[in-house]
Amino acid sequence: MTIGNGTASTASASQTLGHLISALAQEVPDTNLLLRIVDRVPAGVAIVRGPDMRFTLANKAYAAIPAKPGRMVGRSVAEVFPGMPKSSHAMLEKVYATGETLSLRGHQAETDLGRGPTFWDMDFIALPESGGGSQPDEKGVLIVARDVTRQILSERAGESLRATEARLNIALEAADLGAWSARDELGEFMSSPHAAVLHGLSPDTVFDHDTAMSVIHPDDREAVRTALERAIATKGVVSVEYRAVPPGTSGTGGAERWMASRGRWIDDPFTSGGQLFGIVRDITGRKHADAERESLITRMASDQARFEALVESLPAGVLVAEAPEGRIVYGNRRIEEILRHPVLQSASVEAYGEWVGWHPDGNPVAADQWPLARALKGEFVPGDEFLYRRGDGTTGWIRVCGAPVIDAAGTITGSVVVLYDVDREKQAVVALRNSEERVRSVLGEKETLLAQKDMLLKEVNHRVKNSLQLVASLLNLQGRQVEDPKSRQAFEDAVSRVGAIAQVHEQLYKNDDVSKVEFGSYLRTLCTQYGGESSIAIEAATTEISTDVAIPLGLLAVELLTNALKHAGPGTPKQPLEIFFGESRDSKAGDSKAGGNTPVLSLSVRDHGPGIAPEFLDARNRRRSASLGMRLIESLAGQIEARIEVENTCPGVRWTLMLPVGP
């Protein structure tokens, strides 16, 4: 993801900046001067010294971290941060004792009640004892703190989005509903684990289109496929019932299950298409009840006693009226359970007005509009739905089927209705509609969060670049006021190094992909800043490398280039400084069985000056050198696992860095 790459690159820049400040602290013994420099750094910077960890320096950004800001210099870490976790304090002591460099990511700082939480990435860098002055400083620890509050809160927002999706799945499963979706092609078919369970499969089964069709009864497959294709083609709705036959069964007896599936087309804001989103539920009980009801009602005219006994066992309510007045002569126990009041012994159709109900359009149901009254006139009512006021004062949806009772002579002798409680079914429809709205909301939130992440990453890189350029300008201005040539050179070197990091961030905020940098153009830009076309000959391949590698490698290029200009002078048209960057072969690395011919990215800088002192041909001497530049070259090369070769070319010296090519 973009946020991961952006975080890694910014953390890398923070760690590199910490090493630069650590080196600068050793080069500039004047604490006031050092404080004026680090006050411009876009991060919290502090120095603690001595075994009791007392602050000797803290810039403005670091001084704002404690819950109760105040004086820091001269106070211990425990006094400034009384609530600091023991583990964090132990990490600080370890850096002080061992000289290691350690990092703490996502640390939550204490805040006042009126402030929100703040999160910080902390780098702890050991500082050796200072040998300058009449009273040398004890060894200490440099602390660099970077505010990552926006990043942490953004990640938590993403976790909240995923939790919302999980709660939606739990709600559907609690309602005994399976969810499914299909796109323009039926091959792009997905479903929830509970949909697999409803069809007799394990919840771990990948319930795709082919699997779904395999458990549908062969006689019903074509109807289901046709219904889905029609809904996709029209971008409308689908409602289909079918039989499911679990694997390993013949589809007869109790193994066969009836399913009802409903779905609706939803436009997808991320693409030009959309998807068919729906639910599926098991209606085997209802189908069995329907079959049993039809069988029982067929025989009720011939055997009233048997009819009443059987009807009482039905899961549906049954009501019978006689013609022509419409007097109610029978109602089973189930109808009383559904309506939550006793059967009303109405004497006529006019008395049906005691029943309070509404049509789906909200209009009240008149007495002669009830299916029991309409069936007395010979009408067959296949199944009308009404919102009914039940006996306990609540309302609920019912579905009523009605038919006239006709004797052998064709005379209507009465009417009968069968009544179902469909309130849960209606609630499922409402749940589906709410699910659709929540899906739309989730998709919209996801799009907004992604846009915010991209914007924040570009803004971070832009601000880091501007801040680094500001630091470079301030260092440059301050350096001009320093009379000591050595100190002035230290300022100029610091300006070059900060500028190298700023160049990387300039490319990051201009590119869409912040995880990579095109290093060839970056290198050519650096050469343009430090020399002209006649003084530097550059051959740089167009190669993208990760941001984590680009920052140290850019600093290495600046060090080698400035060293060449400093010790060999500007190149000439006949003998320009020679710079090469591109892929080559390293004969001293790799598997010996393969001939030791490992591909590497090579960066070489050659001048035509007096060459390098023989002792600096040994890497150990360079690491122990008093020159900050030499130590930085070795440190940065080790950070990216690059191998360094140095050779005197008579005239001049050639530095070559070989960086392994990743898989």
Side-chain angles (χ1 to χ4, degrees):
M1 294 290 288
T2 305
I3 184 65
N5 293 330
T7 302
S9 66
T10 307
S12 176
S14 176
Q15 192 174 51
T16 304
L17 184 62
H19 285 295
L20 289 174
I21 295 174
S22 174
L24 190 61
Q26 298 176 53
E27 294 291 330
V28 181
D30 186 343
T31 302
N32 292 330
L33 176 59
L34 182 61
L35 180 60
R36 288 200 298 274
I37 294 173
V38 298
D39 263 340
R40 274 76 172 180
V41 173
V45 178
I47 295 177
V48 296
R49 292 192 181 274
D52 55 351
M53 298 292 175
R54 292 191 176 274
F55 285 96
T56 61
L57 181 143
N59 71 350
K60 294 178 181 178
Y62 192 89
I65 295 177
K68 296 180 179 179
R71 181 180 61 84
M72 281 192 177
V73 176
R75 301 172 66 195
S76 67
V77 172
E79 292 172 336
V80 175
F81 299 101
M84 183 177 185
K86 293 182 178 179
S87 59
S88 302
H89 203 280
M91 181 181 292
L92 191 60
E93 291 177 338
K94 183 177 181 181
V95 174
Y96 177 83
T98 65
E100 296 183 54
T101 295
L102 299 178
S103 299
L104 181 63
R105 301 299 177 222
H107 172 69
Q108 182 172 350
E110 292 186 22
T111 59
D112 292 329
L113 294 178
R115 298 169 58 190
T118 59
F119 300 89
W120 301 82
D121 281 354
M122 315 285 288
D123 294 305
F124 303 123
I125 303 169
L127 294 175
E129 294 181 359
S130 173
S134 59
Q135 295 181 343
D137 288 333
E138 295 182 281
K139 67 178 181 178
V141 178
L142 170 68
I143 306 173
V144 179
R146 184 172 58 85
D147 190 345
V148 293
T149 304
R150 286 191 177 182
Q151 171 194 332
I152 296 295
L153 296 181
S154 178
E155 291 173 353
R156 290 185 177 180
E159 293 173 359
S160 176
L161 177 63
R162 290 188 290 274
T164 299
E165 295 173 348
R167 287 195 294 270
L168 175 60
N169 288 331
I170 292 173
L172 289 173
E173 186 171 342
D176 201 25
L177 300 173
W180 57 266
S181 65
R183 293 195 177 274
D184 293 344
E185 298 294 335
L186 287 179
E188 297 186 51
F189 182 91
M190 296 182 295
S191 63
S192 66
H194 196 61
V197 172
L198 291 175
H199 288 77
L201 301 172
S202 167
D204 298 329
T205 303
V206 179
F207 198 54
D208 54 16
H209 176 263
D210 292 339
T211 304
M213 286 298 171
S214 70
V215 295
I216 295 177
H217 195 285
D219 295 342
D220 297 340
R221 289 175 187 167
E222 186 59 32
V224 173
R225 184 181 291 107
T226 301
L228 289 173
E229 290 175 348
R230 183 186 304 113
I232 290 175
T234 60
K235 296 185 177 181
V237 297
V238 61
S239 179
V240 63
E241 296 181 357
Y242 58 89
R243 291 164 290 175
V245 183
T249 64
S250 61
T252 59
E256 183 179 280
R257 309 293 296 175
W258 274 95
M259 300 290 163
S261 185
R262 292 188 177 186
R264 182 184 300 275
W265 181 269
I266 301 176
D267 289 327
D268 189 344
F270 294 99
T271 66
S272 59
Q275 64 176 329
L276 195 63
F277 180 82
I279 59 170
V280 61
R281 62 189 180 93
D282 189 331
I283 59 168
T284 305
R286 194 195 83 188
K287 282 292 186 179
H288 289 172
D290 289 347
E292 186 177 358
R293 171 184 56 81
E294 292 174 0
S295 175
L296 291 175
I297 291 179
T298 302
R299 294 176 295 177
M300 74 176 183
S302 60
D303 191 343
Q304 182 67 25
R306 185 179 180 186
F307 158 75
E308 292 182 2
L310 293 175
V311 168
E312 286 297 330
S313 66
L314 284 175
V318 178
L319 200 62
V320 180
E322 65 179 7
E325 292 82 11
R327 184 175 67 90
I328 295 176
V329 296
Y330 176 77
N332 69 348
R333 184 174 52 206
R334 178 57 182 156
I335 200 168
E336 295 182 349
E337 294 173 355
I338 295 174
L339 301 181
R340 302 181 188 179
H341 61 66
V343 175
L344 300 178
Q345 302 298 327
S346 304
S348 63
V349 170
E350 289 76 16
Y352 296 174
E354 298 177 38
W355 308 336
V356 180
W358 296 267
H359 293 283
D361 61 4
N363 291 321
V365 182
D368 60 352
Q369 292 176 336
W370 290 105
L372 191 63
R374 290 154 57 190
L376 286 171
K377 299 178 181 179
E379 181 180 351
F380 287 84
V381 183
D384 285 358
E385 294 182 351
F386 306 94
L387 182 62
Y388 186 81
R389 179 180 293 169
R390 296 177 287 212
D392 59 2
T394 63
T395 58
W397 285 94
I398 57 175
R399 181 182 294 120
V400 185
C401 303
V405 178
I406 303 174
D407 62 12
T411 303
I412 297 176
T413 61
S415 65
V416 60
V417 295
V418 179
L419 187 145
Y420 301 93
D421 184 352
V422 294
D423 200 52
R424 290 186 62 185
E425 181 178 334
K426 285 289 187 179
Q427 290 177 6
V429 173
V430 173
L432 173 61
R433 189 177 299 113
N434 291 338
S435 298
E436 294 171 358
E437 294 298 327
R438 296 183 69 177
V439 167
R440 292 192 187 95
S441 176
V442 166
L443 292 175
E445 291 174 3
K446 181 178 180 181
E447 184 179 34
T448 301
L449 288 173
L450 288 175
Q452 289 176 350
K453 288 179 180 179
D454 291 339
M455 180 186 68
L456 287 174
L457 281 177
K458 287 185 177 292
E459 180 65 16
V460 165
N461 283 305
H462 183 62
R463 292 192 179 188
V464 168
K465 176 256 182 182
N466 288 343
S467 297
L468 290 174
Q469 285 187 335
L470 178 59
V471 170
S473 298
L474 293 173
L475 289 172
N476 197 20
L477 289 173
Q478 190 68 37
R480 293 176 183 175
Q481 300 177 10
V482 175
E483 295 180 359
D484 179 44
K486 184 177 180 181
S487 296
R488 186 183 302 112
Q489 184 61 49
F491 273 98
E492 292 175 358
D493 292 343
V495 170
S496 297
R497 293 159 187 156
V498 173
I501 301 175
Q503 282 291 333
V504 174
H505 284 277
E506 182 175 16
Q507 288 208 4
L508 286 177
Y509 82 78
K510 290 181 178 179
N511 293 345
D512 292 331
D513 186 0
V514 298
S515 66
K516 296 179 180 179
V517 173
E518 200 288 283
F519 199 75
S521 63
Y522 170 78
L523 197 58
R524 286 187 286 271
T525 300
L526 288 180
C527 291
T528 301
Q529 292 178 353
Y530 288 97
E533 297 180 356
S534 61
S535 61
I536 299 178
I538 179 170
E539 180 183 348
T542 301
T543 304
E544 288 188 339
I545 61 176
S546 70
T547 306
D548 293 340
V549 175
I551 293 175
L553 192 59
L555 285 171
L556 281 165
V558 169
E559 289 297 323
L560 296 177
L561 183 57
T562 55
N563 278 348
L565 292 171
K566 184 187 303 181
H567 299 293
T572 65
K574 292 184 178 181
Q575 288 187 327
L577 293 177
E578 299 173 5
I579 298 178
F580 169 82
F581 173 74
E583 189 169 333
S584 63
R585 294 283 177 176
D586 186 359
S587 61
K588 296 183 180 180
D591 189 352
S592 59
K593 296 181 180 179
N597 202 17
T598 304
V600 295
L601 277 176
S602 177
L603 171 65
S604 69
V605 179
R606 189 240 172 133
D607 60 46
H608 295 82
I612 191 170
E615 63 267 21
F616 289 130
L617 297 176
D618 189 338
R620 291 172 296 181
N621 292 333
R622 294 195 297 270
R623 285 191 287 269
R624 292 193 294 262
S625 170
S627 169
L628 174 61
M630 289 291 184
R631 297 199 305 274
L632 271 180
I633 289 173
E634 290 296 322
S635 174
L636 292 169
Q639 183 178 334
I640 59 177
E641 300 181 354
R643 192 168 67 83
I644 300 178
E645 286 185 358
V646 186
E647 58 179 331
N648 280 317
T649 55
C650 298
V653 61
R654 177 184 287 111
W655 290 77
T656 304
L657 282 84
M658 283 161 284
L659 180 68
V661 178

